[in-house]
Amino acid sequence: MTRMQSVGGRQGEPATSAPAGVASQRCTNADCGARYAIDRVLISCPSCGELLDVAYDRPREERMDWGRFAARSATRGPRHAAGGVATTAALDFSGVWRFRDLLPFCEDAAKIVTIGEGRTNLQRADGLARAMGLGLTDSGGLYLQYEGFNPSGSFKDNGMAAAFTHARMVGATRVACASTGNTSAALAVYGALTGMKCFVFIGDGKIAYGKLAQALDHGATTLQVAGDFDACLARIRHIAEKTPEAGVYLMNSVNPFRLEGQKTIMCRVLEGLDWNVPDWIVVPGGNLGNCSAFGKAFAEMRALGLVDRVPRLAVIQAEGSSTLERIYNDMGVRWEGAGAGELLAGRYDRARVKAEYERMDAANERAHTVATAIEINRPVNLSKALRALSVMDGVVRKVSDAEIVEHKALVGRWGFGCEPASGASVAGAAMLRREGVIKPTDTVVCILTGHALKDPDVTVAYHTGMDMRSVGPGAGAATPRGRISNPPIKVADDLDAILRAMGV
Ligand code: F0G
């Protein structure tokens, strides 16, 4: 096993030249372009501070087709204890590792971590599209990619499978994240599986209860920090980067290996469409890891000849947490790619982004939305998101909390259930359709990033009209105001009354 390098890399040390083998870590900043060995533990580029990519040096002429992947999805699944060395069947069963040829950073298959993540599916949602009045023709259609089917209940498991594999490669024993719920639940599941010690930093009062329950149940050491998600992430990032003696490996999406796993969500969308490319991918944007991963996935799949065109990307933020929306739409900041062959390196106007962050700090602006998963002011993957928007000819929109909650309820009624951030992607699709940006003939895939059982208090509040955070059981009646609110009916323990209430 490779000895664990000091966390955060050896600051100030010159970048290594490209290591032997296909994979390395590469700076996304075209003016830097530093490369580092794949088994170093780095959070950002030690030379310039920008984000890193996992990059693969492939022969320019290398081509792939979907045949090899399609065959693997027929696997019945592993029949051996989880956590040990994964068999080929276990890898094929995983919706992440089935696509391992697209994330070949781990040469030693014995180190690969899997619990059968990514067995998620794509649902054509005609009823929902009709209820939303989307007016899509049969040649197009609305699809929901439901990542809530993952073992811990969100898309995060895709990323954790990859990042824990890297953690194993470097011999990490302690892992940590900041979280509003889903990251911590996923971290705790994979920590329990691999025997790594887990630390979860959560903002005081800022975590969904069910998710907290998961972290506690799986044995993570959970620290409730007096502050919000941004504060927690800054804190844990500092510990991982600047206090190497703590030996903490960071599992938030600033870790580029997380994004490698999350790329496979796009592979599964294509698989669900018989390898056809949709017109739109619509995804909620918080720390912007998912949209970044999707852009990288399509850039790479196009280079390998797996797709001949790229869908458009819509990143949907909440009004109270819309930093990317402001930077992209109001300030017009764009990614400038370094040209063909250097698809993944580029530039953006860092000074303007920095000035905007300073303005936000001076005004003491804090993110605020009912969708806690995207209640993030300083998205760590901002630059990679700009790159994804460039690769996928993307758009960014913001939607109100009322729209988020309404569309979440619509998904629950006519599609899979989902948590509030996922409702934002559907609300965003409706907005883009109203604007005419999405055409009636388009095929639209909304990513539902998490299970309905995150933030259930939001759901119950929508259906009952009661603010579940401020009222206890037995509090007075309230009037629900949602378009499809479905409140429980109070009834006496009396047969006639019950039958009347049942409407039969
Ligand atoms: N959707 C869900 C369900 C999430 O849990 C998150 C992030 C996002 C979307 C945002 O995704 O960062 O890729 O844009 N949840 C973090 C957490 C904050 O702690 O679980 P992104």
Side-chain angles (χ1 to χ4, degrees):
M1 187 174 283
T2 322
R3 197 175 59 82
M4 187 174 174
Q5 313 252 358
S6 63
V7 175
R10 293 156 292 196
Q11 298 282 346
E13 209 177 87
T16 55
S17 57
V22 74
S24 62
Q25 300 186 69
R26 192 169 75 177
C27 181
T28 53
N29 174 5
D31 298 319
C32 172
R35 285 179 179 236
Y36 305 92
I38 201 69
D39 59 358
R40 283 188 64 179
V41 180
L42 301 168
I43 291 165
S44 54
C45 175
S47 293
C48 76
E50 283 294 315
L51 296 176
L52 294 169
D53 268 322
V54 180
Y56 307 104
D57 287 314
R58 298 179 184 273
R60 205 171 278 277
E61 64 286 356
E62 184 173 355
R63 292 289 174 273
M64 280 185 201
D65 63 55
W66 292 114
R68 74 176 86 178
F69 304 109
R72 291 174 187 165
S73 34
T75 335
R76 286 268 200 68
R79 301 279 187 274
H80 69 103
V85 174
T87 58
T88 303
L91 299 185
D92 288 355
F93 182 74
S94 161
V96 169
W97 298 115
R98 189 155 83 232
F99 299 102
R100 53 192 174 273
D101 315 58
L102 300 176
L103 49 152
F105 63 83
C106 179
E107 283 181 9
D108 180 0
K111 300 248 163 61
I112 296 181
V113 177
T114 180
I115 43 170
E117 55 287 316
R119 301 287 299 188
T120 61
N121 70 5
L122 185 76
Q123 179 194 52
R124 187 175 166 108
D126 287 348
L128 175 62
R130 264 195 303 279
M132 286 168 61
L134 282 186
L136 296 175
T137 64
D138 280 349
S139 62
L142 176 67
Y143 291 81
L144 304 175
Q145 174 68 21
Y146 187 44
E147 290 299 311
F149 274 154
N150 270 292
S152 80
S154 85
F155 75 89
K156 306 280 182 185
D157 296 351
N158 296 289
M160 289 300 171
F164 268 82
T165 296
H166 185 247
R168 233 187 214 175
M169 283 166 61
V170 300
T173 54
R174 294 176 186 168
V175 295
C177 72
S179 183
T180 65
N182 280 321
T183 310
S184 56
L187 177 93
V189 165
Y190 283 84
L193 181 80
T194 55
M196 292 186 210
K197 171 106 181 115
C198 290
F199 297 94
V200 169
F201 282 41
I202 55 174
D204 218 3
K206 293 276 185 187
I207 189 165
Y209 239 63
K211 293 284 144 182
L212 175 61
Q214 285 177 285
L216 299 178
D217 230 15
H218 297 302
T221 301
T222 305
L223 278 67
Q224 273 182 277
V225 180
D228 59 10
F229 174 85
D230 291 299
C232 286
L233 183 54
R235 201 51 95 177
I236 189 64
R237 195 173 163 167
H238 177 88
I239 291 171
E241 219 161 1
K242 301 284 191 303
T243 58
E245 65 279 10
V248 168
Y249 182 101
L250 185 66
M251 283 290 179
N252 282 96
S253 60
V254 66
N255 177 335
F257 294 90
R258 275 269 313 270
L259 303 197
E260 289 306 290
Q262 289 168 217
K263 288 190 315 194
T264 63
I265 299 170
M266 290 300 99
C267 303
R268 299 197 298 272
V269 164
L270 296 179
E271 187 176 38
L273 295 171
D274 289 328
W275 311 112
N276 290 309
V277 178
D279 297 299
W280 286 94
I281 300 290
V282 190
V283 64
N287 243 340
L288 307 175
N290 261 335
C291 58
S292 300
F294 299 171
K296 185 168 189 277
F298 275 105
E300 292 173 348
M301 290 193 291
R302 186 173 51 192
L304 288 167
L306 284 165
V307 294
D308 54 10
R309 71 184 182 93
V310 166
R312 295 192 69 187
L313 173 70
V315 182
I316 313 300
Q317 298 207 285
E319 273 178 2
S321 176
S322 53
T323 307
L324 173 70
E325 195 275 335
R326 239 177 8 264
I327 287 174
Y328 192 70
N329 290 341
D330 300 347
M331 295 166 56
V333 175
R334 292 290 183 273
W335 179 260
E336 292 157 37
E342 286 296 328
L343 203 52
L344 298 179
R347 300 176 183 85
Y348 66 102
D349 194 335
R350 258 175 257 135
R352 292 188 66 207
V353 171
K354 188 162 170 273
E356 173 62 4
Y357 284 173
E358 279 163 8
R359 184 200 63 74
M360 286 158 61
D361 282 347
N364 199 22
E365 279 181 14
R366 290 279 166 267
H368 191 71
T369 166
V370 69
T372 54
I374 51 175
E375 191 176 47
I376 295 168
N377 239 353
R378 286 185 176 233
V380 294
N381 288 300
L382 183 95
S383 58
K384 286 184 178 176
L386 294 173
R387 178 176 76 185
L389 289 161
S390 159
V391 169
M392 299 178 70
D393 187 16
V395 297
V396 185
R397 292 292 182 273
K398 59 181 176 186
V399 292
S400 69
D401 276 5
E403 289 169 282
I404 287 175
V405 176
E406 191 74 40
H407 285 84
K408 191 196 85 67
L410 284 162
V411 171
R413 178 68 184 75
W414 278 282
F416 296 115
C418 64
E419 55 66 67
S422 313
S425 69
V426 180
M431 177 180 275
L432 289 164
R433 182 64 200 100
R434 282 196 303 277
E435 291 174 6
V437 176
I438 292 180
K439 304 274 178 298
T441 49
D442 283 348
T443 303
V444 182
V445 177
C446 290
I447 312 298
L448 304 182
T449 45
H451 195 276
L453 292 178
K454 179 172 197 265
D455 291 326
D457 46 345
V458 173
T459 305
V460 177
Y462 175 85
H463 289 293
T464 63
M466 288 191 286
D467 178 353
M468 302 308 287
R469 286 180 219 256
S470 59
V471 298
T479 312
R481 273 183 269 278
R483 179 151 75 92
I484 57 163
S485 290
N486 178 27
I489 303 164
K490 281 201 172 157
V491 62
D493 184 12
D494 171 86
L495 181 62
D496 288 341
I498 289 173
L499 287 174
R500 254 197 321 279
M502 290 167 73
V504 293

